[in-house]
Amino acid sequence: MSFISELKDKVINGYEINREEAIRLLSEDLKELCDAANEIREKFHGDDFDFCSIVNARSGRCSENCKYCAQSSYYHTGAPEYKLLSADEIVEDAKKKEAAGIPRYSIVTSGRTLSNRDVEQIGEAIRRLKKETKLSVCLSAGLLNREQFDKLKEAGLTRFHNNLETYRRHFPDVCTTHTYDDKIGALQNALAAGLEICSGGIMGLGETMEDRIDMCLDLRKLGVKSTPVNVLNAIPGTPYENLPKLTNDEFCRIVAIYRFINPKAFIRLAGGRGVLGDDGKRAFKSGANAAITDDMLTTAGVNSCKDFELVKGLGFKPHGFIAPRT
């Protein structure tokens, strides 16, 4: 029996792989690895598939200097700039997404954090979404404190998102206006308030495979329910505009290893799927079982109708799918 097959069987029976075993998977046969990761996904999730859609609820003029980001005030990218959307605007957008059949909706804001006034405004939107839709509501809003999380949970928030983006040792090369530990602190605040957490990273920022593995091990320690795996979509005007594109083979290996490390999480393909050339089709058969559909924050995503057909064609049954209204 091969190393991959032995390790797969151990994971299926409840074993948590260690760093050395994860690193060994870097040199194993890719097809065997992806097939095994897909078996692990089937064991823990069956054919469930989780779609979500996001709204860019506040865009641009961000105080942080993340080198990949079109919305940073440090760079000139031509990205849209506008203040926080009203509750009416968020609810109107959410209802359109629900009518398209999407069951999970995330409110995303640019900037380091939210003011208390912002929290009240977003809290109003969340209360209305819980009352007027059947959507599961998530929020991605930077480095919030425990008191803010308590207020948002009271409003009906169930999940908070904050990507680690890259591992600790590489993080200072990507951003210097906040730290890896700042991000972990925000996620821990969300957990303390009783929220689920969603966190992952961007692949292709100049990090090593070991960085990717170590970040995923940290995510497992935190108990993430959902891990977005983004591919760098190099934006002109950012310091990373000329970084080389990630290959589909490399991305599939990352996804498969992430499934081995965290078998119970939803591995969610997120931004940059267009870079792969197949909208993530191979990765969906390498252990992934979730996606962000429709447009991203400042870049085009994959249309939800196209996504639904893609995943159904692969044998998935979208989790919590809401049939589109006619």
Side-chain angles (χ1 to χ4, degrees), residues 15-27:
Y15 176 71
E16 285 194 350
I17 75 170
N18 58 43
R19 185 177 190 271
E20 291 71 25
E21 290 165 329
I23 288 175
R24 183 170 170 180
L25 293 175
L26 295 175
S27 58

Side-chain angles (χ1 to χ4, degrees), residues 1 28 69 124 126 141 157 182 194 250 281 292 306:
M1 185 179 289
E28 295 292 323
C69 187
E124 178 189 352
I126 293 170
L157 186 67
D182 288 335
E250 189 175 7
K281 183 175 181 179
I292 298 176
K306 184 178 180 181

Side-chain angles (χ1 to χ4, degrees), residues 173-224:
D173 294 329
V174 177
C175 176
T176 60
T177 50
H178 60 267
T179 68
Y180 188 82
D181 285 323
D182 288 335
K183 285 180 168 286
I184 287 180
L187 291 167
Q188 289 173 332
N189 285 337
L191 285 169
L195 296 170
E196 293 181 352
I197 55 172
C198 173
S199 184
I202 304 174
M203 309 300 138
L205 303 180
E207 75 284 355
T208 65
M209 272 290 200
E210 288 80 4
D211 289 329
R212 295 162 182 165
I213 286 170
D214 288 334
M215 182 182 73
C216 190
L217 290 169
D218 276 357
L219 294 171
R220 184 174 71 183
K221 288 179 188 175
L222 286 165
V224 296

Side-chain angles (χ1 to χ4, degrees), residues 134-288:
K134 295 180 180 179
L135 292 164
S136 297
V137 184
C138 310
L139 175 68
S140 180
L143 308 176
L144 305 185
N145 61 42
R146 171 63 188 279
E147 182 180 355
Q148 290 173 316
F149 280 122
D150 286 339
K151 289 181 179 179
L152 291 164
K153 180 157 190 308
E154 185 179 356
L157 186 67
T158 55
R159 179 179 289 180
F160 176 71
H161 164 266
N162 190 320
N163 279 341
L164 295 182
E165 307 301 10
T166 193
Y167 185 56
R168 180 189 305 279
R169 62 177 157 261
H170 182 57
F171 196 91
D173 294 329
V174 177
C175 176
T176 60
T177 50
H178 60 267
T179 68
Y180 188 82
D181 285 323
D182 288 335
K183 285 180 168 286
I184 287 180
L187 291 167
Q188 289 173 332
N189 285 337
L191 285 169
L195 296 170
E196 293 181 352
I197 55 172
C198 173
S199 184
I202 304 174
M203 309 300 138
L205 303 180
E207 75 284 355
T208 65
M209 272 290 200
E210 288 80 4
D211 289 329
R212 295 162 182 165
I213 286 170
D214 288 334
M215 182 182 73
C216 190
L217 290 169
D218 276 357
L219 294 171
R220 184 174 71 183
K221 288 179 188 175
L222 286 165
V224 296
K225 300 293 185 182
S226 166
T227 295
V229 188
N230 299 266
V231 183
L232 176 66
N233 190 344
I235 304 295
T238 66
Y240 284 169
E241 63 178 307
N242 294 315
L243 284 185
K245 292 183 179 180
L246 206 69
T247 67
N248 209 332
D249 279 358
E250 189 175 7
F251 187 71
C252 287
R253 186 175 294 275
I254 294 165
V255 167
I257 293 174
Y258 275 31
R259 175 56 67 203
F260 267 82
I261 292 173
N262 202 347
K264 295 181 180 180
F266 278 88
I267 307 298
R268 186 179 305 277
L269 303 195
R273 275 195 284 153
V275 174
L276 300 173
D278 66 351
D279 294 335
K281 183 175 181 179
R282 283 180 58 198
F284 288 137
K285 299 303 288 185
S286 302

Side-chain angles (χ1 to χ4, degrees), residues 290-310:
I292 298 176
T293 191
D294 286 329
D295 288 344
M296 300 294 117
L297 295 174
T298 61
T299 59
V302 181
N303 176 269
S304 58
C305 292
K306 184 178 180 181
D307 259 345
F308 288 142
E309 292 305 313
L310 172 63

